[in-house]
């Protein structure tokens, strides 16, 4: 299990591990938090597809958690508790459990996180760790068994494929400053379609996303370079910034 917190807006990309059934949920209410273009609400759980990858976009301070088990363990546990099999979905699914079931998951998950910070020696004890693990597993399975399915994500599958190609096109030349026509051409989609997908999954236009990416590349180069080896102007122009006043404002 994991617990995460961000104190600033962020766009991230994550890839799920093969062989594990992964579920995630918000641990505290907060500003908008999107997984693959779908809003993660405080009362919902996301079942992730095995080995899938997606973009995450937060608009401010965000806290969320996750739990995973080997797929074969999840199948056997689900069969024992719910009486049927359960495997990771083909596409990520959103479920909304009852408030009481969600509370029963949130409490031990928060307790485990608190113990890890304040008294890690307790959860290294085999009996205590086993007891806490069983409570978490049972609570998660109950949530999944009772949860109401959210909207069909088949319409998002095509957008996710475009975003996967967009990311691959951009990262094929990580040190080059990409511009919109290049990824559109390599992906095989129109500028309008790419803009719609980026707005949905990143919360911003592709132009803004690429600008931020070039800015991060410039910042990394500035941090790693020796002061006597290069200049700010050289690095700025390397990443496509020709208006130095604007570069200084954006960098700040």
């Amino acid at each position: 299990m994991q617990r995460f917190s961000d104190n600033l807006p962020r766009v991230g990309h994550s890839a799920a591990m093969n062989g594990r059934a992964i579920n995630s949920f918000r641990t505290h209410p907060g500003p908008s938090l999107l997984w693959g273009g779908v809003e993660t609400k405080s009362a919902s759980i996301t079942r992730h597809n095995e080995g899938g990858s997606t973009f995450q976009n937060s608009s401010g301070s965000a806290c969320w958690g996750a739990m995973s088990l080997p797929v074969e363990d999840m199948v056997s546990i689900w069969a024992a508790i719910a009486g049927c099999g359960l495997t990771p979905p083909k596409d990520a699914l959103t479920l909304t459990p009852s408030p009481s079931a969600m509370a029963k998951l949130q409490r031990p998950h928060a307790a485990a996180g608190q113990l890890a910070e304040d008294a890690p020696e307790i959860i290294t004890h085999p009996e205590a760790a086993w007891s806490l693990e069983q409570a978490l597993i049972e609570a998660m399975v109950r949530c999944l068994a009772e949860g109401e399915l959210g909207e069909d994500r088949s319409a998002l599958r095509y957008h996710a494929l475009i975003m996967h190609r967009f990311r691959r096109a951009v990262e094929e030349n990580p040190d080059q400053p990409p511009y919109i026509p290049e990824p559109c051409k390599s992906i095989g989609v129109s500028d309008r379609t790419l803009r719609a997908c980026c707005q949905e999954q990143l919360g911003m236009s592709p132009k803004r996303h690429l600008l931020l990416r070039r800015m991060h590349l410039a910042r990394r180069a500035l941090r790693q370079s020796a002061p006597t080896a290069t200049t700010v102007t050289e690095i700025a122009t390397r990443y496509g910034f020709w208006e130095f006043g604007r570069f200084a404002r954006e960098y700040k």
Side-chain angles (χ1 to χ4, degrees), residues 14-109:
S14 61
M17 295 174 61
N18 285 313
R20 296 195 73 84
I22 302 173
N23 305 290
S24 65
F25 51 91
R26 298 191 75 145
T27 54
H28 294 286
S32 176
L33 178 64
L34 302 177
W35 279 92
V38 177
E39 178 72 34
T40 302
K41 299 179 180 178
S42 300
S44 66
I45 293 175
T46 300
R47 288 183 59 207
H48 297 274
N49 51 329
E50 183 183 357
S53 63
T54 188
F55 283 93
Q56 183 194 47
N57 170 33
S58 63
S59 59
S61 178
C63 300
W64 72 99
M67 288 174 55
S68 70
L69 282 168
V71 171
E72 59 271 20
D73 290 355
M74 176 61 88
V75 170
S76 62
I77 289 168
W78 183 271
I81 296 179
C84 59
L86 181 75
T87 56
K90 182 178 179 180
D91 298 304
L93 296 175
T94 300
L95 301 98
T96 304
S98 67
S100 61
M102 197 66 187
K104 289 178 181 177
L105 172 64
Q106 293 276 15
R107 284 196 295 268
H109 200 275

Side-chain angles (χ1 to χ4, degrees), residues 11 13 55 158-173 178-191 193-195 197-199 201-202 204-211 213:
V11 172
H13 180 268
F55 283 93
Y158 177 60
H159 294 180
L161 178 62
I162 290 174
M163 293 303 295
H164 175 73
R165 292 173 178 170
F166 174 60
R167 178 173 176 266
R168 186 172 59 188
V170 170
E171 294 196 345
E172 280 179 351
N173 299 293
Y179 297 94
I180 299 300
E182 296 171 2
C184 283
K185 183 178 179 181
S186 63
I187 295 169
V189 298
S190 67
D191 173 71
T193 299
L194 183 59
R195 279 190 284 116
C197 292
C198 285
Q199 196 63 50
Q201 305 224 2
L202 304 179
M204 65 184 71
S205 68
K207 184 176 180 180
R208 177 65 179 169
H209 175 67
L210 293 177
L211 172 65
R213 188 176 187 279

Side-chain angles (χ1 to χ4, degrees), residues 211-251:
L211 172 65
L212 289 173
R213 188 176 187 279
R214 287 190 290 129
M215 189 63 66
H216 277 286
L217 290 172
R219 175 170 169 75
R220 182 176 67 184
L222 287 167
R223 288 169 62 90
Q224 293 177 348
S225 63
T228 57
T230 188
T231 66
V232 173
T233 298
E234 289 172 343
I235 289 176
T237 54
R238 183 192 310 167
Y239 293 104
F241 295 102
W242 306 99
E243 301 175 48
F244 303 124
R246 183 187 176 194
F247 172 73
R249 289 194 302 273
E250 291 281 358
Y251 187 88

Side-chain angles (χ1 to χ4, degrees), residues 137-169:
I137 291 172
E138 182 177 354
M140 175 58 76
V141 171
R142 295 296 181 193
C143 283
L144 298 180
E146 296 179 12
E148 295 183 4
L149 274 176
E151 60 181 300
D152 181 16
R153 294 197 182 194
S154 57
L156 293 172
R157 192 182 309 156
Y158 177 60
H159 294 180
L161 178 62
I162 290 174
M163 293 303 295
H164 175 73
R165 292 173 178 170
F166 174 60
R167 178 173 176 266
R168 186 172 59 188

